[in-house]
């Protein structure tokens, strides 16, 4: 353990967080005249639990991670923004990220006036450990590694990631948005014992709740405490907390299994399709597909009513489309169109 407090921005380390009415009186029964709420019940007239205790307890059981190692936010995007704001001094510090990868790290950093140093992935989108470490300096506070990576679809091994965390003097943020679709196990069970690793997950993909906005960060208790200290007090609405709990009562494992089966079927079919140059193996719920004329295929698919993500302009993905795996019926429509092109 290297101790992370030296990495925290001084204004955050010295902050007295906002204390809500619900923090100052935690009982559930009584006449509540403390929060200037409307007293007329309509299901939503009271402020939600700022600590999301019930939902955290449920997620703790599902993931096998203690409650004290869990942060919940308005999508993973909130966690990304909060990490930048805990650790990075605007106009001074920088972050390192792999390229190509998820665009939000860069946008969130730019909004916070933090330099982003992008390090290209190597052959077959492998992690270039030496180049990543070489891109860091004393001002590098965070390193973002997405695994399985969006849009390349490959996952990095836990030993690679842990060795990177050990060699890096800042915080390693591993974005596991697609981990449920991967044969590589999550790093989340290891975060409590590491001083500088944060694992991000989301309910937006495998769990099927993109519309609810619920992201998770798993880390040691100090980092979770810092993130919780600076979040909006009521960052998760009552609706999100209740509906997520309700949705989590039903297992979504069959959906993951079907998606993985379909991923193999679609990849194999595409590999036999004229005009398709390459389909990368994927550990996620999408395929990166290189075609002869990406812009043309993209437009033709739209003409047939199928919308995919055109990644043709993204460095490292020239000529590529990113295609999400749909239901078997939806995938049949895609394959039929691709074969007709
Ligand atoms: C989809 C996705 C997310 C999810 O973000 P939310 O804000 O939780 O919906 C996070 N990271 C990556 C790499 C993604 O592709």
């Amino acid at each position: 353990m290297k101790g992370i407090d030296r990495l925290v921005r001084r204004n955050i380390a010295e902050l007295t967080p906002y204390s809500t009415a619900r923090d100052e009186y935690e009982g559930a029964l009584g006449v509540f005249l403390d929060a200037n709420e409307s007293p007329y019940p309509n299901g939503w007239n009271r402020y939600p639990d700022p600590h999301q205790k019930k939902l955290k307890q449920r997620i703790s059981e599902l993931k096998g991670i203690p409650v004290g190692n869990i942060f919940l936010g308005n999508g993973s995007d909130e966690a990304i923004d909060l990490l930048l704001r805990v650790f990075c001094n605007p106009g001074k510090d920088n972050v390192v990220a792999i390229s190509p990868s998820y665009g939000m790290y860069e946008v969130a950093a730019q909004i916070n006036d933090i330099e982003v140093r992008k390090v290209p992935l190597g052959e077959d989108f492998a992690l270039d450990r030496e180049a990543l470490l070489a891109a860091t300096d004393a001002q590098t506070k965070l390193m973002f590694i997405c695994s399985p990576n969006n849009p390349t679809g490959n996952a990095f091994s836990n030993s690679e990631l842990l060795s990177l965390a050990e060699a890096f003097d800042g915080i390693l943020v591993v974005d596991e948005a697609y981990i449920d679709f991967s044969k590589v196990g999550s790093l989340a069970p290891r975060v409590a014992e590491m001083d500088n690793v944060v694992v991000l997950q989301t309910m937006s993909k495998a769990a099927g709740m993109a519309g609810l906005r619920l992201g998770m960060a798993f880390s040691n208790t100090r980092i979770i405490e810092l993130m919780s200290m600076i979040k909006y007090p009521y960052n998760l609405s009552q609706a999100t907390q209740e509906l997520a709990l309700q949705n989590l009562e039903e297992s979504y494992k069959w959906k993951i299994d079907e998606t993985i089966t379909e991923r193999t079927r679609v990849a194999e079919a595409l590999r036999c399709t004229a005009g398709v140059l390459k389909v990368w193996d994927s550990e996620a719920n999408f395929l990166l597909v290189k075609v002869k004329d990406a812009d043309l295929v993209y437009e033709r698919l739209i003409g047939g009513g199928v919308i995919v993500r055109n990644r043709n302009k993204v460095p490292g993905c020239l000529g590529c489309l990113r295609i999400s795996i749909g239901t078997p019926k939806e995938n049949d429509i895609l394959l039929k169109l691709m074969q007709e092109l």
Side-chain angles (χ1 to χ4, degrees):
M1 299 285 260
K2 290 173 270 194
I4 56 117
D5 278 89
R6 73 200 151 78
L7 296 170
V8 178
R9 283 168 70 190
R10 199 161 59 101
N11 59 313
I12 301 299
E14 291 173 354
L15 182 76
T16 305
Y18 182 75
S19 177
T20 70
R22 289 292 171 275
D23 287 306
E24 285 167 21
Y25 182 81
E26 292 197 51
L29 291 177
V31 176
F32 284 92
L33 304 178
D34 60 347
N36 299 346
E37 299 154 328
S38 165
Y40 308 104
N42 60 7
W44 312 106
N45 61 311
R46 298 294 177 186
Y47 278 104
D49 174 9
H51 308 294
Q52 305 120 9
K53 287 199 195 78
K54 274 191 198 153
L55 185 52
K56 272 192 190 162
Q57 186 56 43
R58 183 76 185 104
I59 289 173
S60 165
E61 289 161 18
L62 280 174
K63 304 278 175 185
I65 309 284
V67 165
N69 298 104
I70 303 175
F71 168 87
L72 301 181
N74 186 352
S76 318
D77 294 345
E78 181 181 358
I80 293 167
D81 183 57
L82 293 183
L83 286 166
L84 288 163
R85 290 201 280 151
V86 167
F87 293 107
C88 303
N89 292 289
K92 182 164 163 258
D93 293 330
N94 67 72
V95 302
V96 166
I98 54 175
S99 169
S101 194
Y102 186 46
M104 226 16 233
Y105 317 129
E106 190 173 4
V107 173
Q110 281 171 349
I111 291 169
N112 285 291
D113 192 16
I114 292 150
E115 181 199 348
V116 183
R117 301 178 173 184
K118 292 200 269 184
V119 177
L121 291 170
E123 190 76 17
D124 275 326
F125 304 128
L127 217 52
D128 189 341
R129 182 180 191 273
E130 297 318 312
L132 282 164
L133 292 172
T136 67
D137 61 19
Q139 252 46 69
T140 308
K141 298 294 184 67
L142 305 174
M143 186 184 290
F144 289 97
I145 307 279
C146 185
S147 179
N149 188 34
N150 177 4
T152 59
N154 59 315
F156 309 111
S157 73
N158 284 340
S159 56
E160 247 180 320
L161 295 170
L162 289 172
S163 135
L164 195 57
E166 234 152 69
F168 176 41
D169 253 344
I171 310 290
L172 181 72
V173 183
V174 180
D175 187 342
E176 294 186 348
Y178 301 98
I179 196 69
D180 297 287
F181 304 104
S182 173
K183 56 184 182 293
V184 174
S186 171
L187 209 55
R190 305 290 304 275
V191 292
E193 68 194 76
M194 310 282 301
D195 66 346
N196 68 333
V197 179
V198 177
V199 167
L200 304 180
Q201 289 188 13
T202 177
M203 291 296 177
S204 296
K205 306 289 158 61
M209 299 181 216
L212 284 186
R213 312 306 303 130
L214 178 51
M216 299 160 274
F218 305 111
S219 190
N220 60 61
T221 52
R222 179 60 180 148
I223 293 181
I224 296 301
E225 178 182 49
L226 286 161
M227 294 174 76
S228 305
M229 208 171 86
I230 72 163
K231 76 179 180 68
Y232 290 163
Y234 303 110
N235 62 328
L236 288 195
S237 73
Q238 179 86 30
T240 297
Q241 295 186 49
E242 280 181 15
L243 293 171
L245 270 169
Q246 191 181 314
N247 270 280
L248 287 172
E249 278 173 26
E250 236 177 84
S251 168
Y252 48 92
K253 185 171 178 304
W254 70 269
K255 299 178 188 168
I256 297 171
D257 292 343
E258 182 169 282
T259 299
I260 291 172
T261 306
E262 282 292 290
R263 181 178 73 198
T264 307
R265 180 177 78 91
V266 175
E268 282 170 3
L270 286 174
R271 286 186 183 119
C272 304
T273 302
V276 172
L277 303 176
K278 181 158 185 167
V279 181
W280 279 269
D281 287 335
S282 171
E283 305 260 343
N285 64 341
F286 57 81
L287 293 167
L288 188 69
V289 181
K290 189 170 195 154
V291 292
K292 262 191 199 143
D293 188 340
D295 292 344
L296 183 75
V297 175
Y298 175 74
E299 290 300 334
R300 291 268 183 90
L301 286 174
I302 287 182
V306 172
I307 302 93
V308 301
R309 198 88 198 264
N310 189 352
R311 302 280 79 186
N312 190 23
K313 300 284 178 301
V314 175
C317 294
L318 299 184
C320 291
L321 302 173
R322 193 197 66 193
I323 304 179
S324 305
I325 301 299
T327 62
K329 263 190 198 155
E330 291 175 331
N331 300 331
D332 284 341
I333 297 172
L334 167 87
L335 290 172
K336 188 158 174 288
L337 276 174
M338 288 293 289
Q339 283 151 6
E340 284 166 5
L341 280 176

